[in-house]
Amino acid sequence: MAAVRGRNHTAVTEFILLGFGNGPGFQTIPFVLFLVIYTVTVLGNTILVLIIRVSSRLHTPMYFFLMNLSLLDLCFTCTIAPKAMATFLAGSKVISYNGCAVQLFFFGLFLTTEAFLLAAMAYDRYTAICNPLLYPITMSKWFCIQMVVGSYICGCVNAMVETGFTFTLYYCGPNEIDHFFCDGPPLLSLSCSDTYVNNVVMFTLSGLIIVSTALIVLISYTYIVATILRIRSAEGRHRAFSTCTSHMLVVTLFYGATAFMYAQPTWLSSPYPRKAVSVFYTFVIPMLNPFIYSLRNKDVKEALRRTICMKYAEESRRGNLTVVTEFILLGLSNRRELEIPLFSIYLLFYTIPLTGNILLITITMDPALHTPMYFFLRVLSFLDICYTSGTVPKMLVNFLSEDKSISYMGCIVQMYFLLYLGASECFLLAAMAYDRYVAICNPLRYRLIMNRTVCLSLAVLSWFSGNVVSLVQTVWVFTLPFCGSNKINYFFCDIPPLIKLSCIDTSQYEIQLFTAAILVIFTPFTLILVSYIFIISTIFKMASAEGRHKAFSTCSSHLIVVTLYYGCSSLIYLRPNSINLAASNKVLSLIYTTVTPTLNPFIYSLRNKEVKEALRRILGDMMKRKIFSHRK
């Protein structure tokens, strides 16, 4: 522990965030969950802010507050998530004394501001429903800005007081914070000073903020409910109440979690429920907010549709075009008699990769397989599970259903995640090739170069690169106007068949997408090729045939997977649309979306002695436990 001397004690100059445990499983699982939730939160709230900014119909007080709530959620999550994920990546979980103070301040600022902002949103709903004629005058632009600024001022004052009180205490004992970020209660428990006053101040402040803002919300909704009940028509009551349901749901989630956390004395709280509730209100609620406000709000959904279809929605209103609102997936065959056999085959193709990859992840959690190669293999298996789950379930439903449609938004979501996972796999296979290069060409420095931080960084970089590629390509495709046929001659939403449905000249888009595909496929493929040139060169320099065979055997599985994956994806995405053949594309897509994920576990297990040995140990332990339980 870094320390300085003073007051006959050792003063703490840094803290250690214990997070969720010290085992490898305890680090990997939270990291993956946090990464997924963080990505969804950033995308969801960013999209909601952009929709409100772009759509003139949403330039109202309610959506002004909603935009600020989304910005707050972005800032709130960004205060906690990056550092939390960094502690999972690095062996060191240290946060400096000043860094901890800064994190606590901004956490308190955004949390308190959100409480006051939700109260302001409740007052806005009260004015809109109880005083509709005075609403534009009362909730003027200047008054709305004042309410938002006032929320931030209250948040800033509370954060300064709580941070000041917390960090005027003396910390001279243990420096391990039993949490995944710097929060008030776990920090106070480490202090050598008497924390009675601090506990009282924090409890009082938290109570005042929660009670005062909750009271404003409660009084507002008391008047709102009374006014709604006086409305004569059922339609009018439903319409008035529907404008409040999203806000009420968010308020319930937010105040429930914060009241549990901060409106109880510190000495009554336990670290385990505190961590669970902290994850809920720092990660889950900011992730859910955009979905709550968009899925339950017709104005937001309509604005999103208009934003995506901006180029051709105007022409549609003039009567020149018919805007496509859903697509029909024609699937693999039009013959009804083949649907049940195809359903059975692809149900098997879904079950086998799902079971195989889950089993492979479980096997490689064996302590003997905690090496970089098997870490990347676990990530690859997880990617294959997600990738197969993005296409096969919808395809299975279409085999059994008369309705083979997929909504416009559903098609966007499916394409985004398939491109995201597909591109991530491309980059991950390159990272795996680099791992093999270091292992064979620099064996003495392998552990030093491919340390845990580097491995996790390469995995995160693969996911991040896949996200960027997917976002750009999905936006490119769905800025095209779809105004004629809505029948996709494919079994999922993919770029080549979708472009064919556009009612404008797509040559420029084809060039852009073709260039992007070349970059995405050839950049990692070049890295793989260069790695294997050095690997083969090193193997040929080995004196013994046994050494050459052993070195090459560690690469053969990866080479087979690379050949299958890159071969199919290149044939689909690196051909101009003018020479694309629908039948051959379907076959190739089936190979890399179902067959390759099915084969991967077998390729890596049947050709790998260590995996087979680990499986044998797991089965042996299970048999021993079973025999022991029978004897008891």
Side-chain angles (χ1 to χ4, degrees):
M1 184 191 350
V4 293
R5 295 283 173 184
R7 297 194 208 174
N8 299 321
H9 294 288
T10 305
V12 170
T13 58
E14 62 184 25
F15 295 100
I16 297 169
L17 298 168
L18 296 181
F20 295 93
N22 294 317
F26 287 105
Q27 303 304 315
T28 306
I29 294 168
F31 173 76
V32 172
L33 287 173
F34 279 32
L35 178 64
V36 171
I37 293 171
Y38 182 59
T39 305
V40 173
T41 303
V42 171
L43 283 174
N45 284 288
T46 303
I47 289 168
L48 194 57
V49 170
L50 290 174
I51 290 167
I52 294 169
R53 288 288 299 168
V54 169
S55 178
S56 57
R57 290 191 181 186
L58 301 184
H59 290 175
T60 63
M62 183 175 82
Y63 293 109
F64 171 75
F65 289 122
L66 179 55
M67 183 178 71
N68 279 279
L69 180 67
S70 290
L71 288 170
L72 259 178
D73 283 337
L74 277 171
C75 297
F76 190 48
T77 308
C78 290
T79 302
I80 308 299
K83 180 60 185 175
M85 289 190 290
T87 58
F88 298 139
L89 284 175
S92 172
K93 299 182 178 185
V94 171
I95 184 171
S96 68
Y97 187 90
N98 291 335
C100 190
V102 170
Q103 189 181 57
L104 180 64
F105 172 79
F106 281 105
F107 171 72
L109 167 64
F110 296 129
L111 183 68
T112 310
T113 303
E114 187 155 338
F116 284 99
L117 189 64
L118 288 171
M121 293 172 79
Y123 178 74
D124 170 71
R125 291 299 81 212
Y126 155 75
T127 309
I129 293 169
C130 301
N131 296 290
L133 298 177
L134 293 171
Y135 181 63
I137 300 169
T138 307
M139 299 303 294
S140 64
K141 185 179 179 180
W142 176 238
F143 184 66
C144 292
I145 292 170
Q146 284 179 317
M147 291 182 80
V148 171
V149 172
S151 300
Y152 274 97
I153 290 171
C154 293
C156 187
V157 170
N158 177 63
M160 287 173 69
V161 171
E162 291 206 0
T163 306
F165 267 84
T166 302
F167 282 91
T168 50
L169 293 172
Y170 195 63
Y171 296 94
C172 56
N175 66 339
E176 293 180 341
I177 301 173
D178 194 8
H179 214 8
F180 59 93
F181 68 96
C182 289
D183 195 10
L187 267 170
L188 291 179
S189 65
L190 300 180
S191 177
C192 312
S193 310
D194 181 12
T195 60
Y196 176 77
V197 175
N198 297 72
N199 281 322
V200 170
V201 169
M202 288 183 70
F203 181 74
T204 306
L205 270 176
S206 301
L208 281 172
I209 291 165
I210 293 169
V211 171
S212 61
T213 53
L215 199 60
I216 293 169
V217 173
L218 191 64
I219 292 169
S220 298
Y221 275 105
T222 303
Y223 280 102
I224 287 168
V225 171
T227 303
I228 288 173
L229 292 175
R230 287 199 294 267
I231 298 173
R232 293 182 179 181
S233 67
E235 186 184 351
R237 287 196 297 272
H238 177 265
R239 189 177 176 184
F241 191 71
S242 65
T243 63
C244 305
T245 50
S246 298
H247 180 256
M248 286 176 69
L249 186 56
V250 171
V251 163
T252 305
L253 291 171
F254 181 81
Y255 280 94
T258 49
F260 178 85
M261 286 292 295
Y262 298 106
Q264 58 172 323
T266 311
W267 54 84
L268 291 179
S269 62
S270 171
Y272 302 106
R274 179 176 291 279
K275 288 179 189 179
V277 176
S278 295
V279 169
F280 186 72
Y281 77 83
T282 56
F283 286 92
V284 179
I285 293 177
M287 179 187 70
L288 292 176
N289 284 355
F291 295 99
I292 292 169
Y293 277 103
S294 59
L295 296 178
R296 301 181 60 88
N297 193 304
K298 289 181 180 179
D299 291 339
V300 173
K301 286 189 282 188
E302 181 60 28
L304 178 59
R305 195 181 69 81
R306 281 199 309 272
T307 303
I308 294 169
C309 310
M310 197 176 290
K311 288 188 177 180
Y312 59 99
E314 186 62 35
E315 293 186 40
S316 172
R317 285 194 290 271
R318 293 174 191 164
N320 296 333
L321 299 175
T322 304
V323 176
V324 171
T325 57
E326 66 177 17
F327 296 100
I328 296 169
L329 297 168
L330 297 181
L332 298 173
S333 174
N334 293 325
R335 297 170 62 183
R336 295 287 299 169
E337 65 272 15
L338 292 177
E339 290 190 344
I340 298 300
L342 285 171
F343 172 82
S344 304
I345 291 167
Y346 286 102
L347 179 61
L348 188 65
F349 266 120
Y350 184 52
T351 308
I352 292 172
L354 203 64
T355 309
N357 282 293
I358 290 171
L359 186 61
L360 192 58
I361 290 170
T362 307
I363 293 167
T364 54
M365 293 301 289
D366 186 278
L369 302 183
H370 286 174
T371 63
M373 183 175 82
Y374 294 108
F375 165 76
F376 288 121
L377 184 53
R378 281 195 294 275
V379 178
L380 179 67
S381 293
F382 179 73
L383 266 174
D384 282 339
I385 290 168
C386 297
Y387 196 64
T388 310
S389 300
T391 53
V392 180
K394 178 62 180 172
M395 184 168 64
L396 293 174
V397 169
N398 286 350
F399 282 138
L400 299 178
S401 174
E402 292 288 337
D403 181 15
K404 301 181 188 297
S405 64
I406 182 170
S407 68
Y408 191 88
M409 281 303 301
C411 194
I412 293 173
V413 171
Q414 188 183 57
M415 179 182 283
Y416 168 76
F417 279 105
L418 288 176
L419 291 173
Y420 179 20
L421 297 165
S424 298
E425 188 155 336
C426 280
F427 291 107
L428 185 69
L429 289 171
M432 293 172 79
Y434 176 72
D435 169 70
R436 291 300 79 211
Y437 157 74
V438 178
I440 293 169
C441 300
N442 295 286
L444 298 177
R445 299 181 63 206
Y446 179 60
R447 291 284 182 182
L448 183 65
I449 296 171
M450 297 303 293
N451 58 53
R452 188 178 178 187
T453 304
V454 170
C455 292
L456 285 166
S457 299
L458 287 170
V460 172
L461 186 62
S462 302
W463 286 80
F464 178 76
S465 303
N467 181 42
V468 172
V469 169
S470 175
L471 200 59
V472 171
Q473 296 221 32
T474 305
V475 170
W476 270 351
V477 172
F478 283 93
T479 51
L480 293 171
F482 300 100
C483 49
S485 172
N486 66 339
K487 293 179 179 179
I488 302 174
N489 189 16
Y490 225 50
F491 57 95
F492 65 92
C493 290
D494 200 10
I495 294 173
L498 261 171
I499 283 181
K500 289 181 179 179
L501 301 183
S502 179
C503 46
I504 63 167
D505 179 18
T506 60
S507 56
Q508 186 180 356
Y509 287 87
E510 285 179 44
I511 292 167
Q512 291 174 340
L513 292 167
F514 184 73
T515 306
I518 289 174
L519 289 171
V520 171
I521 292 172
F522 274 103
T523 302
F525 184 74
T526 304
L527 293 173
I528 293 170
L529 195 62
V530 171
S531 298
Y532 274 104
I533 288 170
F534 281 104
I535 287 169
I536 292 167
S537 174
T538 304
I539 289 172
F540 281 139
K541 288 175 186 174
M542 292 178 180
S544 68
E546 186 185 350
R548 288 196 296 272
H549 177 266
K550 189 177 179 181
F552 190 73
S553 66
T554 63
C555 306
S556 55
S557 300
H558 181 256
L559 272 169
I560 294 168
V561 172
V562 165
T563 305
L564 284 170
Y565 190 80
Y566 277 92
C568 294
S569 55
S570 298
L571 286 171
I572 290 174
Y573 296 108
L574 296 184
R575 286 189 297 176
N577 278 351
S578 56
I579 60 169
N580 270 348
L581 300 173
S584 62
N585 275 1
K586 286 181 185 180
V587 173
L588 291 167
S589 294
L590 282 171
I591 291 171
Y592 81 84
T593 57
T594 56
V595 179
T596 304
T598 303
L599 294 176
N600 283 356
F602 296 101
I603 292 169
Y604 277 102
S605 58
L606 297 177
R607 300 180 61 87
N608 193 304
K609 289 181 181 179
E610 291 176 331
V611 172
K612 287 188 281 188
E613 184 60 34
L615 177 60
R616 199 176 294 116
R617 280 197 301 272
I618 290 168
L619 292 174
D621 290 342
M622 288 173 66
M623 289 297 293
K624 286 177 184 176
R625 282 197 293 269
K626 193 173 182 181
I627 292 166
F628 182 73
S629 63
H630 279 307
R631 285 179 179 174
K632 286 180 74 176

